């Protein structure tokens, strides 16, 4: 949270030409508003911790703390161990697909942003139209593709599928960003004898740091929490991702909300840690920009 | 130079190949299925031509789903500041359940917009703002005439992303209401699942899927065109 506050202050400082980082009295309402928004955002987390730390028999309202803090849900989930295998699977799939998306996504965006021919306008709008497909529409077709490639219940199959689904968003973000880099930079490098790949590698790539952090966060979070496709294509018990492990707490016989909440809490920790780590790069990217200009 | 320009297209080949195999082929197959009557698992399918599309016209829940899809899409995109939740059984009434779904979906995706805006703001060189300040522009004018136009690409990305996400809304509805009470909170996405798995009408589900794809495409093309006109070159 400290990092966020610092980020906010440096940003206003930069954008509006004020110097120094100081508490300004006339801005009190901004801090109040921020606190209010923060409270709204933290409320669901309060509820989920509250459910995870109470017994099934607890009668106190969900808004109040349970009469006795109960660690049984966490003990049960940890001793069963399915969640750790789930985190491993989710991590491999998320890391793999985000890495592939970044590589082939920014390559594609480079071509689409720099060569705006009629053909590429068509390619671009076809790629964007993929975002508009509701997942279940193409389920049957995806299933037969995956089955014929022996990709069901494999890491690589899920990684490539997630990549295909997220590429439109990744390409959109990169294309918008690369379009804002002056083409004169490319031309100068070309005159100096750089080939297309060298221009891409030496001129374009170094500028993509901040937008890449957005891509990692947007695409990473949505892969981490993906449920629909994981449900159909990760059928083996040892391939289950976190969302599928949570689902096993709900059955026709009994809904174990406590275990589900405890699993969810453990399952979101790695993501929260990665996010805090990435946030530093937001600030860093910004300072780099300030120094350059 | 022209040759160089067309050779650059090789850079998008990997992305296009992956999407042809995993998206274009399955979509083609879904469109093909929409002309058949099929229960989703048996090996026999009956060709019925446009019958699935005709049944949509007489299906009330289909129209309810369209209405809800539009509310989820535009409502979530616009709605940002609904604060209090009254002590009232929101999920028992279709009207309030729809509103609750919109609020929860907005809650989930405001963060995404923030990330996109943050990247956009950081991409704007501070020299523009400084130049404007030297020319005597106040904070509001600097925001309105310098930052906002330069931020347009980020705004359009964020609006389009949220709009499409809202129009495709599925998981929040399934976990909150499963489309009920009385199927009145279904979106097109959940209605597709309902027809496919519960009613075992895979062909009809595919037809609705194709319809929703076309509908979302038309809406986002219009919105995208609106924002494109507002973007500036620099």
């Amino acid at each position: 949270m400290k990092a966020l506050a610092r980020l906010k202050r440096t940003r206003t400082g930069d954008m509006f030409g004020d110097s120094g980082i100081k508490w300004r009295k006339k801005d009190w309402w901004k801090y109040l508003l921020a606190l209010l928004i923060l409270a709204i955002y933290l409320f669901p987390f309060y509820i989920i911790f509250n459910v995870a730390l109470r017994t099934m028999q607890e009668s106190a309202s969900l808004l109040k703390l349970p009469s006795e803090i109960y660690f049984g849900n966490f003990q049960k989930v940890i001793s069963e161990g399915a969640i750790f295998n789930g985190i491993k699977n989710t991590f491999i799939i998320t890391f793999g697909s985000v890495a592939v998306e970044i590589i082939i996504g920014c390559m594609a965006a480079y071509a689409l942003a720099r060569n705006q021919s009629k053909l590429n306008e068509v390619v671009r709008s076809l790629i964007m139209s993929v975002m508009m497909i509701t997942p279940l529409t193409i389920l049957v077709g995806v299933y037969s593709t995956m089955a014929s490639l022996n990709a069901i219940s494999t890491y690589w199959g899920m990684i490539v599928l997630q990549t295909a689904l997220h590429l439109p968003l990744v390409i959109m973000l990169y294309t918008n960003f690369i379009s804002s880099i002056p083409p004169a930079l490319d031309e100068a490098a070309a005159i100096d004898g750089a080939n297309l790949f060298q221009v891409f590698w030496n001129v374009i790539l170094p500028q993509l740091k901040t937008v890449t952090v957005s891509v990692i966060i947007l695409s990473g979070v949505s892969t981490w929490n993906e449920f629909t496709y994981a449900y159909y294509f990760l059928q083996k018990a040892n391939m289950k991702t976190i969302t599928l492990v949570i689902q096993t707490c709900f059955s026709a016989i009994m809904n174990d909300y406590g275990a589900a909440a405890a699993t969810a809490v453990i399952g979101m920790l790695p993501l929260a840690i990665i996010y805090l780590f990435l946030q530093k790069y937001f600030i860093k990217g910004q300072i780099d920009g300030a120094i350059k200009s | 130079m022209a040759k160089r320009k067309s050779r650059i297209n090789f850079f998008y080949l990997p992305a296009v190949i992956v999407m042809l195999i995993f998206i274009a082929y399955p979509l083609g197959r879904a469109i093909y299925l929409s002309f058949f009557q099929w229960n989703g698992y048996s090996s026999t399918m009956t060709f019925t031509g446009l019958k699935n599309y005709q049944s949509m016209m007489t299906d009330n829940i289909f129209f309810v789903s369209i209405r809800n899809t539009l509310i989820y899409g535009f409502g979530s995109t616009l709605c940002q500041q609904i604060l209090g939740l009254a002590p009232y059984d929101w999920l028992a009434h279709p009207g309030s359940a729809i509103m609750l779904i919109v609020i929860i979906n907005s809650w989930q995706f405001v963060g995404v917009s923030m990330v996109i805006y943050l990247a956009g703001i950081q991409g704007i060189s501070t020299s523009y703002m400084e130049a404007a300040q030297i020319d005597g522009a106040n904070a509001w004018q600097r925001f309105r005439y310098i930052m906002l136009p330069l931020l347009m690409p980020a705004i359009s990305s964020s609006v389009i992303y949220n709009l499409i996400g809202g129009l495709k809304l599925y998981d929040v509805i399934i976990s909150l209401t499963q489309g009920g009470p009385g199927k009145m909170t279904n979106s097109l996405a959940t209605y597709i699942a309902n027809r496919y798995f519960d009613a075992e009408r895979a062909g009809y589900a595919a037809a609705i899927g194709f319809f929703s794809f076309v509908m979302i495409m038309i809406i986002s093309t219009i919105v995208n065109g609106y924002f494109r006109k507002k973007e500036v070159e620099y």
Side-chain angles (χ1 to χ4, degrees):
Chain A
M1 271 0 274
K2 244 186 185 168
L4 191 71
R6 195 165 64 225
L7 174 68
K8 211 169 169 184
R9 271 183 252 136
T10 26
R11 201 174 80 225
T12 17
D14 279 345
M15 294 316 301
F16 298 104
D18 301 317
S19 62
I21 299 163
K22 56 188 172 200
W23 161 265
R24 286 188 301 169
K25 236 183 182 168
K26 65 170 183 175
D27 282 345
W28 64 270
W29 61 272
K30 283 187 193 164
Y31 294 97
L32 194 70
L33 194 68
L35 271 179
L36 198 68
I37 293 170
L38 191 65
I40 295 169
Y41 267 78
L42 290 180
F43 181 69
F45 293 97
Y46 168 74
I47 298 284
I48 199 166
F49 274 97
N50 202 339
V51 175
L53 291 171
R54 61 170 58 199
T55 62
M56 290 275 268
Q57 287 74 37
E58 177 67 51
S59 55
S61 144
L62 268 179
L63 295 175
K64 297 193 194 96
L65 286 169
S67 48
E68 195 186 345
I69 302 282
Y70 171 73
F71 288 102
N73 292 322
F74 281 101
Q75 279 164 358
K76 186 178 157 201
V77 165
I78 289 170
S79 67
E80 277 173 1
I83 178 62
F84 299 112
N85 193 41
I87 290 178
K88 187 192 88 185
N89 291 336
T90 311
F91 184 81
I92 292 172
I93 291 166
T94 306
F95 183 84
S97 62
V98 170
V100 179
E101 279 159 28
I102 289 174
I103 296 166
I104 66 180
C106 68
M107 278 169 58
Y110 170 54
L112 293 174
R114 283 303 186 241
N115 181 14
Q116 297 180 335
S117 62
K118 284 233 167 71
L119 169 74
N120 285 3
E121 267 311 297
V122 175
V123 171
R124 186 180 141 123
S125 39
L126 282 179
I127 291 176
M128 290 310 125
S129 69
V130 170
M131 281 200 282
M132 296 144 203
I133 301 171
T134 35
L136 285 169
T137 311
I138 55 170
L139 189 69
V140 178
V142 175
Y143 195 92
S144 58
T145 299
M146 297 279 279
S148 60
L149 294 171
N150 287 325
I152 289 170
S153 286
T154 62
Y155 288 130
W156 74 267
M158 206 58 198
I159 288 173
V160 183
L161 176 59
Q162 290 293 337
T163 302
L165 292 166
H166 286 142
L167 268 176
L169 169 71
V170 175
I171 292 176
M172 174 172 104
L173 290 172
Y174 277 124
T175 310
N176 282 351
F177 198 89
I178 294 175
S179 305
S180 72
I181 301 172
L185 286 181
D186 296 32
E187 283 152 22
I191 289 164
D192 290 344
N195 65 31
L196 280 173
F197 187 76
Q198 286 166 330
V199 172
F200 174 66
W201 192 261
N202 296 320
V203 178
I204 305 292
L205 267 192
Q207 313 227 29
L208 299 181
K209 267 188 227 149
T210 47
V211 68
T212 300
V213 175
S214 324
V215 168
I216 293 173
I217 292 173
L218 292 180
S219 177
V221 170
S222 101
T223 309
W224 191 272
N225 294 325
E226 210 281 326
F227 179 76
T228 319
Y229 285 107
Y231 181 72
Y232 293 104
F233 299 125
L234 297 174
Q235 296 163 346
K236 284 190 193 146
N238 64 347
M239 290 298 292
K240 281 195 159 100
T241 55
I242 295 166
T243 46
L244 296 179
V245 175
I246 296 174
Q247 196 225 6
T248 55
C249 301
F250 300 98
S251 69
I253 312 153
M254 196 186 72
N255 289 340
D256 191 346
Y257 292 108
T263 310
V265 167
I266 299 173
M268 69 192 174
L269 279 180
L271 205 58
I273 294 167
I274 294 170
Y275 180 75
L276 287 176
F277 174 74
L278 284 176
Q279 219 183 28
K280 281 202 306 199
Y281 284 83
F282 259 131
I283 306 165
K284 197 166 163 285
Q286 187 210 357
I287 292 168
D288 283 351
I291 292 167
K292 264 184 227 146
S293 63
Chain B
M1 220 51 192
K3 208 174 163 195
R4 190 183 167 97
K5 276 231 150 171
S6 58
R7 253 189 305 140
I8 203 174
N9 288 355
F10 282 107
F11 279 83
Y12 64 60
L13 271 189
V16 168
I17 289 169
V18 168
M19 288 167 70
L20 278 178
I21 298 172
F22 284 88
I23 313 279
Y25 164 73
L27 181 66
R29 196 164 151 88
I31 296 170
Y32 172 77
L33 276 178
S34 73
F35 298 109
F36 286 83
Q37 188 184 14
W38 183 45
N39 63 8
Y41 51 84
S42 82
S43 53
T44 52
M45 297 182 349
T46 328
F47 180 77
T48 52
L50 289 172
K51 196 163 160 271
N52 284 325
Y53 291 92
Q54 283 162 359
S55 352
M56 287 196 305
M57 295 302 118
T58 51
D59 183 349
N60 272 333
I61 303 298
F62 170 70
F63 287 105
V64 170
S65 307
I66 294 181
R67 188 204 65 190
N68 290 345
T69 301
L70 293 173
I71 298 177
Y72 296 140
F74 287 95
S76 308
T77 310
L78 293 175
C79 144
Q80 283 164 342
Q81 54 237 17
I82 299 176
L83 296 178
L85 300 183
Y88 165 70
D89 191 0
W90 288 76
L91 296 175
H93 311 272
S96 57
I98 287 173
M99 219 153 99
L100 190 64
I101 289 168
V102 167
I103 293 171
I104 290 179
N105 186 48
S106 317
W107 177 84
Q108 209 179 344
F109 285 97
V110 166
V112 170
S113 313
M114 246 170 70
V115 170
I116 297 177
Y117 285 138
L118 213 52
I121 289 172
Q122 284 167 8
I124 298 174
S125 164
T126 48
S127 55
Y128 294 113
M129 300 300 274
E130 280 156 17
Q133 194 179 23
I134 291 165
D135 288 347
N138 64 30
W140 164 249
Q141 288 168 326
R142 271 173 277 154
F143 172 75
R144 171 67 187 82
Y145 296 105
I146 309 289
M147 199 154 113
L148 205 59
L150 291 176
L151 206 53
M152 251 329 151
I155 297 174
S156 71
S157 306
S158 160
V159 167
I160 298 279
Y161 182 73
N162 283 335
L163 186 63
I164 292 173
L167 291 172
K168 281 170 35 179
L169 195 62
Y170 174 77
D171 45 3
V172 178
I173 306 170
I174 288 294
S175 44
L176 280 182
T177 67
Q178 304 203 319
K183 297 209 174 113
M184 295 307 279
T185 58
N186 267 313
S187 69
L188 285 170
T190 59
Y191 194 50
I192 291 167
N194 174 278
R195 292 295 91 182
Y196 194 106
F197 299 110
D198 301 340
E200 296 191 347
R201 293 180 61 189
Y204 187 48
I208 301 178
F210 184 50
F211 173 87
S212 80
F213 170 63
V214 173
M215 183 182 99
I216 297 174
M217 190 140 72
I218 291 171
I219 294 175
S220 48
T221 307
I222 294 170
V223 175
N224 199 19
Y226 172 80
F227 279 106
R228 274 248 169 140
K229 263 189 253 156
K230 302 213 152 195
E231 282 178 22
V232 288
E233 298 265 336
Y234 67 104

